[in-house]
């Protein structure tokens, strides 16, 4: 795959998730579309959504419950694209949705691999390819970024770093949709800052590409160590999302 093909696949999946046309992401004007359920959407998305803002840099595509069209349309057309995804402007849409007992919940940056920049990083420990059957005993707190216990059936492939046959680092990927697998990575605290995470991430990205799928990586832009790992592993920023959820949902997350 080329970088252009990878980007097209990602945009096509975003179009499925948002219920819009793939070309909507490269327009210079903002687009509003109705959020709807779709069996081909990323598995973890709880569609339809009250409001999800998506930007690949050219504009904002807002996938929404149409009863909030006036709120969202005024917001995304008032402020510059990048400012719509951060404070202080973000308070405006948060306050508008608060009247409906909703709040800004998820804010994330998504990364795609640069096919020409995925490194082959040496690791001081043995790296092993792991399949779904190898994960059964690994649904533990220390591997909660690499694996998801709630969606075990989607954890499809991984790379483990082993020190004297003990697992000290794990990158896993979730088959979140037909064409794209999401990477998560964990390294035991005492083994960090040795390049293990990037060795695992870049190796898993290559394994995913070899299987004809697109690896993608997601984190909060404030998660500096995760962003650094993405960049070191050959990933580059591709798109951003900001999602409105119910106040009850946000409160539950804060309790957890």
């Amino acid at each position: 795959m080329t970088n252009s093909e990878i980007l097209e696949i990602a945009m096509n999946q975003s179009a499925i998730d948002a219920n819009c046309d793939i070309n909507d992401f490269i327009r210079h004007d903002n687009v509003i579309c109705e959020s709807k359920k779709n069996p081909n959407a990323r598995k973890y998305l709880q569609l339809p959504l009250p409001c999800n803002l998506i930007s690949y840099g050219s504009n904002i595509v807002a996938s929404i419950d149409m009863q909030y069209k006036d709120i969202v349309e005024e917001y995304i057309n008032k402020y510059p694209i990048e400012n719509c995804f951060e404070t202080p402007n973000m308070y405006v849409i948060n306050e508008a949705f608060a009247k409906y007992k909703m709040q800004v919940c998820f804010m994330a940056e998504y990364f795609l691999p640069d096919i020409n920049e995925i490194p082959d990083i040496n690791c001081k420990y043995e790296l092993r390819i792991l399949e779904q059957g190898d994960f059964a005993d690994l649904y533990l707190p220390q591997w909660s970024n690499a694996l998801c216990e709630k969606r075990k059936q989607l954890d499809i492939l991984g790379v483990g770093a082993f020190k004297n046959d003990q697992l000290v680092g794990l990158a896993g990927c979730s088959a979140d949709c037909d064409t794209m697998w999401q990477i998560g990575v964990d390294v035991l605290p005492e083994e960090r800052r040795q390049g293990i995470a990037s060795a695992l991430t870049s190796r898993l990205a290559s394994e995913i590409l070899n299987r004809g799928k697109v690896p993608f990586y997601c984190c909060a832009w404030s998660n500096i160590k995760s962003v650094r790992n993405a960049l070191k592993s050959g990933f580059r920023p591709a798109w951003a999302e900001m999602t409105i959820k119910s106040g009850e949902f946000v409160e539950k997350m804060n309790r957890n």
Side-chain angles (χ1 to χ4, degrees), residues 14-33:
S14 291
I16 292 170
D17 299 339
N19 188 38
C20 69
D21 187 272
I22 185 173
N23 292 314
D24 288 338
F25 295 110
I26 58 176
R27 289 169 52 168
H28 295 293
D29 57 323
N30 296 321
V31 176
I32 291 180
C33 51

Side-chain angles (χ1 to χ4, degrees), residues 2-172:
T2 65
N3 286 335
S4 294
E5 289 170 337
I6 287 173
L7 180 60
E8 183 177 358
I9 288 169
M11 285 186 172
N12 185 65
Q13 185 59 49
S14 291
I16 292 170
D17 299 339
N19 188 38
C20 69
D21 187 272
I22 185 173
N23 292 314
D24 288 338
F25 295 110
I26 58 176
R27 289 169 52 168
H28 295 293
D29 57 323
N30 296 321
V31 176
I32 291 180
C33 51
E34 184 176 8
S35 180
K36 292 183 178 181
K37 288 185 177 182
N38 190 316
N40 296 317
R42 282 176 285 164
K43 299 296 189 295
Y44 57 86
L45 293 179
Q46 297 176 334
L47 300 175
L49 291 167
C51 175
N52 192 42
L53 305 185
I54 307 166
S55 179
Y56 278 81
S58 297
N59 68 345
I60 294 175
V61 173
S63 182
I64 67 169
D65 182 327
M66 295 305 283
Q67 67 176 304
Y68 307 118
K69 183 176 183 292
D70 290 345
I71 292 173
V72 177
E73 187 171 47
E74 179 180 3
Y75 179 72
I76 63 176
N77 290 326
K78 183 175 182 179
Y79 302 109
I81 296 167
E82 59 276 10
N83 292 353
C84 285
F85 290 82
E86 64 178 8
T87 59
N89 297 150
M90 188 185 72
Y91 291 133
V92 174
I93 196 168
N94 195 60
E95 289 174 4
F97 272 97
K99 299 173 184 176
Y100 300 93
K101 297 183 179 180
M102 298 181 190
Q103 300 175 42
V104 173
C105 183
F106 299 121
M107 300 165 62
E109 186 171 18
Y110 290 81
F111 298 77
L112 292 172
D114 183 334
I115 203 73
N116 301 310
E117 298 293 335
I118 300 175
D120 184 8
I121 300 175
N122 291 326
C123 181
K124 62 187 294 186
Y125 300 130
E126 177 191 2
L127 299 186
R128 299 179 192 171
I129 304 300
L130 304 176
E131 305 287 347
Q132 194 169 47
D134 299 313
F135 300 144
D137 297 326
L138 298 179
Y139 288 94
L140 304 168
Q142 60 264 41
W143 312 124
S144 60
N145 289 311
L147 302 173
C148 181
E149 189 168 14
K150 292 181 179 179
R151 298 187 295 274
K152 289 182 179 181
Q153 73 280 7
L154 300 180
D155 292 331
I156 201 79
L157 185 68
V159 179
F162 289 83
K163 177 183 179 182
N164 299 325
D165 219 32
Q166 177 190 0
L167 185 66
V168 298
L170 176 64

